[in-house]
Amino acid sequence: MIGLVLFAGIGSYWLGWSLNLPVVPLLFLSGAALSQLLPPLPWETFSPLIGVAIALVFFEGGRGLGSRSLVHRHLVSHLVAIGPKLGWLLMAGLAHLLLGLPATLTLLLGALLMVQSPYTVRPFVQRLGGEEDMADVLCWESYVVSCVGCAWSVLMFLIIKANGEHPSLVTTLVLTLKVLGAGVLMGWLSAWVLLLILRRGWAPAFLQPCLCLSLALLNFGLAQALFSGAGLVASGLMGYRMAAHQGEAVGELGSHLQTLLVGMAGVALGLFLPLSMLTIDALPRIVFAFSLVLLVRPVLAYLGARKAGLSRSQNRLLRLVSPRGVLTLGITVHITQQLNELGHSEALKLIPIVYWCVLITTLGPWLIPTLIPRFLAAEPPSPA
């Protein structure tokens, strides 16, 4: 069965490449198709896959960010400063208005939707005709905001578990600092140990890629054990430091494993989540998902980039690309399943909502060049 799921994941990537389609919906559809052939499987079967996929996605993402110089550093800092808190409140408010969810669930949903899909950012930018400097901006934003979203998801999980109310600003800041502190500590320590081993020549060359990846997974697990949510920060920082010092030790093995595990996790989610659940209260959920694309993202991008001096096409790209994906849905299922086991069964309502958000934030921007062919047209030169 594992081989079948792996093959279906890679087949979905191949199909996406052949048909020029985003891979995330294809992964879910592959899982849904396989669910007709396989017996029902419990979430516990797939939950570890999500953790491993997250660890490698953020480790590889950190390596990618560390290997390139960031041109628009101030733009990233503005997007990261404005996006998390305002985006959280906007998404929570819209969820309450459009979906009628209670306050604690809307805040949990807003935090979960901050976890984005970093591994799909560059394909989106290429699809929309963007430049590499904007891809770097969007990747940095995606990684940082996802780390904050994971921290705040943990915060809301703890509050709902304790039957608490809206978290105070102090509580939010303290937990965020704890997550960042634990992640930075483990990420820096793991990178220091690994670089020491590599520089002293204590590991033969043929073992170095496997050593790097195994330590990356151990780093993620220890950070999560130290403080839930810190694993994303630890993985990203470790990858960043590896790229800055000796990124060649991993080679292409890390990116191949990332593709394999993300594909496997996406198909597993499709197996676990029947498509029939999408038909329940579909209209308000679709409207909410479109509000992320048409309202929340443009507002956050405008506020973050209003003084950046970007061109029209750069602003347009910035306001479109904010996809959610396998990691978003995987973390949602993980947290809501835990809440359900604790007696908070209403949290399960968030799964189909996030499912729709993943589909629409992925398919919407991807289809724009097809629906609006002139969207990719070059800007006319400015008059002399």
Side-chain angles (χ1 to χ4, degrees):
M1 186 182 68
I2 291 175
L4 186 61
V5 172
L6 283 170
F7 186 77
I10 298 305
S12 299
Y13 273 97
W14 175 81
L15 191 62
W17 170 79
S18 300
L19 302 178
N20 196 22
L21 292 173
V23 71
V24 172
L26 296 175
L27 292 171
F28 295 157
L29 287 174
S30 297
L34 285 179
S35 68
Q36 306 302 311
L37 307 175
L38 300 174
L41 299 171
W43 170 246
E44 290 75 14
T45 306
F46 305 122
S47 182
L49 290 176
I50 300 298
V52 175
I54 289 172
L56 286 181
V57 164
F58 277 79
F59 176 74
E60 282 297 301
R63 287 211 306 149
L65 296 177
S67 64
R68 301 176 59 87
S69 59
L70 182 61
V71 177
H72 301 286
R73 190 176 301 272
H74 293 295
L75 174 58
V76 172
S77 64
H78 289 156
L79 289 169
V80 169
I82 292 172
K85 189 66 175 180
L86 181 58
W88 186 28
L89 295 176
L90 278 175
M91 289 185 286
L94 286 169
H96 179 71
L97 178 66
L98 299 174
L99 305 174
L101 296 175
T104 50
L105 281 186
T106 60
L107 290 170
L108 174 58
L109 177 61
L112 290 168
L113 289 173
M114 288 166 60
V115 180
Q116 299 177 18
S117 180
Y119 56 92
T120 63
V121 166
R122 291 194 185 277
F124 266 98
V125 173
Q126 293 169 3
R127 167 79 172 167
L128 296 170
E131 301 294 334
E132 282 297 317
D133 59 340
M134 292 307 297
D136 292 338
V137 167
L138 288 162
C139 282
W140 269 101
E141 182 196 9
S142 179
Y143 279 101
V144 176
V145 172
S146 294
C147 289
V148 177
C150 191
W152 291 354
S153 298
V154 171
L155 170 63
M156 291 310 305
F157 168 80
L158 296 174
I159 286 175
I160 295 174
K161 179 181 175 182
N163 295 309
E165 298 297 331
H166 184 286
S168 67
L169 179 60
V170 173
T171 302
T172 305
L173 291 175
V174 168
L175 182 128
T176 304
L177 290 175
K178 286 182 178 179
V179 170
L180 293 176
V184 168
L185 174 65
M186 284 307 309
W188 184 90
L189 184 61
S190 298
W192 178 81
V193 170
L194 183 55
L195 289 170
L196 179 66
I197 293 173
L198 296 176
R199 288 168 177 168
R200 297 291 177 88
W202 292 343
F206 74 93
L207 278 183
Q208 288 181 8
C210 295
L211 175 65
C212 290
L213 292 173
S214 61
L215 188 54
L217 294 178
L218 179 62
N219 166 57
F220 175 82
L222 290 174
Q224 284 291 101
L226 187 61
F227 205 95
S228 184
L232 278 71
V233 181
S235 297
L237 179 62
M238 182 182 175
Y240 184 83
R241 293 202 68 223
M242 288 302 301
H245 292 84
Q246 194 154 343
E248 68 276 5
V250 183
E252 293 298 319
L253 179 59
S255 60
H256 294 326
L257 280 177
Q258 173 188 305
T259 300
L260 197 67
L261 286 168
V262 169
M264 189 175 184
V267 174
L269 286 166
L271 277 170
F272 177 76
L273 303 170
L275 291 179
S276 59
M277 69 188 307
L278 294 181
T279 61
I280 303 172
D281 296 328
L283 183 58
R285 292 170 177 178
I286 292 173
V287 172
F288 172 73
F290 270 108
S291 73
L292 302 185
V293 177
L294 301 176
L295 178 61
V296 175
R297 180 58 190 178
V299 168
L300 297 180
Y302 169 76
L303 294 175
R306 66 189 188 280
K307 296 181 180 179
L310 300 180
S311 66
R312 185 185 306 171
S313 60
Q314 288 174 321
N315 275 307
R316 187 171 51 195
L317 184 70
L318 199 64
R319 294 171 189 177
L320 270 178
V321 179
S322 184
R324 278 71 174 178
V326 171
L327 303 186
T328 315
L329 188 57
I331 292 174
T332 299
V333 173
H334 180 69
I335 287 181
T336 53
Q337 286 291 323
Q338 286 186 310
L339 287 172
N340 182 49
E341 292 172 2
L342 295 171
H344 299 278
S345 58
E346 69 278 3
L348 295 178
K349 296 178 182 178
L350 301 186
I351 296 176
I353 297 171
V354 173
Y355 207 135
W356 275 117
C357 291
V358 169
L359 292 177
I360 289 174
T361 59
T362 302
L363 287 171
W366 191 272
L367 291 175
I368 280 181
T370 302
L371 300 175
I372 310 175
R374 294 186 60 188
F375 182 85
L376 298 179
E379 294 182 35
S382 57

